[in-house]
Amino acid sequence: MFIDNDLRKSDPLPTTSGDGSVGNDCFTSPLWNRDVFQANRVEYGGHRLYTHLSGNDRVFHRGATYLADQMHRTKQQQESDDRWRRSMIDDLKADGFEQAMQFMADFGTNGHIFVNEYFEGRLTMRRIEDIIRAFDTKNVLNYNTITKAVEKAKRDIFAFVQFFKDTMLVPYALEQMVKCDVIETSTPIDLIGTFYDPKTGNKTWGLINIKTSESTRDNSNQLAVEYMCAKATVFDQLAQLEDLPIRLYTLRPKRWVTKPDYELVDYTDSSLTLENDVLSTYNILKKKKWYDTPVLNQLHFEGALNPTTKFTIKNFFDF
């Protein structure tokens, strides 16, 4: 039986107000400085880009997923991706999601929303149901699917909360943007905080990639890109706040019945090992001009030019 009060935090930390940049409407500790890097997300021609100001110019970066996918193709790892897709489909069928496959990106985002609501002290069973039903309104799912979605969301958030309690996690920021100019890549880190690593018992800074499925995919390439971006952006701030080891993890819920359970995997060492592969793949793509994006003194926006405007880019470049 789920009880609302099991999910409430008695003394939630305050948040900063958003200005339209990625993550600014998410949980932020008063000790954390989001200005270490700010960026807006742009969808153009089916591609996701991140844009930020560099001096007087507006710069566009690819996301970590783009470079990671190209690494898979460069290494001819399509078979591995195919296995992951099959396992994902099997996993979702077990949870009644056959008709929701095309909406999984949105549903995965809901997992981040639940974690944010928990840190803000607002998460209740009714709140979870409201978020899922809003997802239903957008995607028009059938009754069986939406029922399964609600139950899966409840199981997932209980698994995440169990992790927070087990490791004494202190959150600092959700959806913090990071970048690495060397590989022209920007990406958000799902969760940054301190906690006690369950395997070593040591207190550490955790850069945590939150997953909402039990399926396991070899996403080491993407995590390696994220680690390079984080190292170039937030490591100095982390060291100034508390001098601890900085590790990169994935956190995903396990399929549980009576006691919430989760899987935490440390990808730091593999990410360091893959840095040369990241750089070599980027250099190959750069020579092919796949990273040619505009650096402009002025952009043309649809609508008023202000930080919260949803804007589109017109006729600047093709993919």
Side-chain angles (χ1 to χ4, degrees):
M1 178 178 179
F2 294 104
I3 303 174
D4 284 359
N5 288 336
D6 286 349
L7 290 178
R8 292 184 184 272
K9 287 175 69 71
S10 59
D11 187 22
L13 295 174
T15 67
T16 59
S17 59
D19 69 353
S21 298
V22 174
N24 265 12
D25 56 350
C26 295
F27 174 87
T28 307
S29 164
L31 300 176
W32 186 256
N33 177 21
R34 281 211 182 259
D35 288 337
V36 65
F37 179 57
Q38 301 271 9
N40 287 87
R41 184 181 291 120
V42 180
E43 301 289 341
Y44 179 79
H47 297 265
R48 172 174 291 180
L49 300 173
Y50 295 95
T51 177
H52 65 277
L53 288 174
S54 179
N56 294 322
D57 296 328
R58 183 163 289 277
V59 177
F60 292 85
H61 278 175
R62 300 278 194 177
T65 303
Y66 176 80
L67 184 50
D69 286 347
Q70 299 305 321
M71 289 174 68
H72 278 294
R73 293 187 177 94
T74 301
K75 292 186 174 183
Q76 297 181 333
Q77 293 181 339
Q78 193 64 46
E79 183 179 347
S80 173
D81 283 352
D82 290 342
R83 286 197 300 270
W84 171 74
R85 290 188 183 96
R86 287 196 296 271
S87 69
M88 174 68 83
I89 291 171
D90 291 342
D91 177 46
L92 294 174
K93 283 182 177 178
D95 271 322
F97 272 73
E98 299 93 330
Q99 300 183 33
M101 277 300 293
Q102 60 183 312
F103 309 119
M104 280 312 296
D106 285 344
F107 187 78
T109 300
N110 282 338
H112 297 182
I113 294 174
F114 299 142
V115 173
N116 186 74
E117 294 295 277
Y118 171 72
F119 288 150
E120 298 283 12
R122 295 192 296 254
L123 191 65
T124 65
M125 291 299 100
R126 174 60 63 84
R127 180 69 177 137
I128 290 175
E129 293 173 0
D130 288 345
I131 292 170
I132 294 297
R133 297 198 187 285
F135 176 76
D136 175 30
T137 300
K138 176 181 177 182
N139 296 304
V140 192
L141 308 179
N142 64 37
Y143 178 79
N144 181 61
T145 300
I146 198 65
T147 299
K148 292 289 186 178
V150 170
E151 290 307 310
K152 177 171 175 53
K154 291 177 180 178
R155 290 199 307 271
D156 288 354
I157 190 60
F158 266 80
F160 294 146
V161 170
Q162 189 66 48
F163 163 75
F164 302 148
K165 292 179 178 179
D166 289 347
T167 63
M168 301 175 64
L169 179 125
V170 177
Y172 278 75
L174 280 169
E175 294 287 312
Q176 171 62 53
M177 286 299 303
V178 293
K179 71 180 176 78
C180 180
D181 292 325
V182 173
I183 54 175
E184 296 183 75
T185 299
S186 298
T187 189
I189 298 294
D190 292 344
L191 171 60
I192 297 176
T194 62
F195 68 96
Y196 289 88
D197 188 306
K199 290 187 177 180
T200 66
N202 296 327
K203 189 177 183 181
T204 184
W205 278 110
L207 311 173
I208 303 174
N209 190 299
I210 297 174
K211 301 296 183 183
T212 55
S213 171
E214 301 92 297
S215 296
T216 56
R217 178 198 183 190
D218 180 12
N219 60 345
S220 54
N221 287 343
Q222 179 170 339
L223 293 167
V225 178
E226 292 181 5
Y227 188 77
M228 288 182 68
C229 292
K231 186 164 60 173
T233 309
V234 297
F235 272 33
D236 286 346
Q237 181 176 184
L238 296 176
Q240 290 173 13
L241 286 168
E242 194 165 357
D243 187 12
L244 298 170
I246 304 171
R247 310 290 294 181
L248 179 70
Y249 301 85
T250 60
L251 172 66
R252 58 168 48 86
K254 284 187 176 180
R255 195 182 298 276
W256 59 272
V257 178
T258 57
K259 182 181 178 181
D261 201 4
Y262 55 86
E263 177 187 55
L264 182 72
V265 181
D266 188 332
Y267 275 88
T268 312
D269 294 337
S270 65
S271 296
L272 291 169
T273 301
L274 286 169
E275 278 194 6
N276 287 335
D277 290 344
V278 173
L279 288 169
S280 63
T281 302
Y282 164 76
N283 287 329
I284 291 171
L285 300 176
K286 184 68 173 177
K287 288 179 181 178
K288 293 181 177 180
K289 298 187 177 181
W290 288 13
Y291 268 82
D292 285 357
T293 55
V295 179
L296 305 172
N297 291 324
Q298 185 175 0
L299 277 178
H300 299 284
F301 291 83
E302 292 180 348
L305 179 56
N306 63 68
T308 60
T309 298
K310 301 295 183 182
F311 58 86
T312 58
I313 308 170
K314 291 184 174 180
N315 304 321
F316 285 131
F317 55 96
D318 296 319
F319 291 90

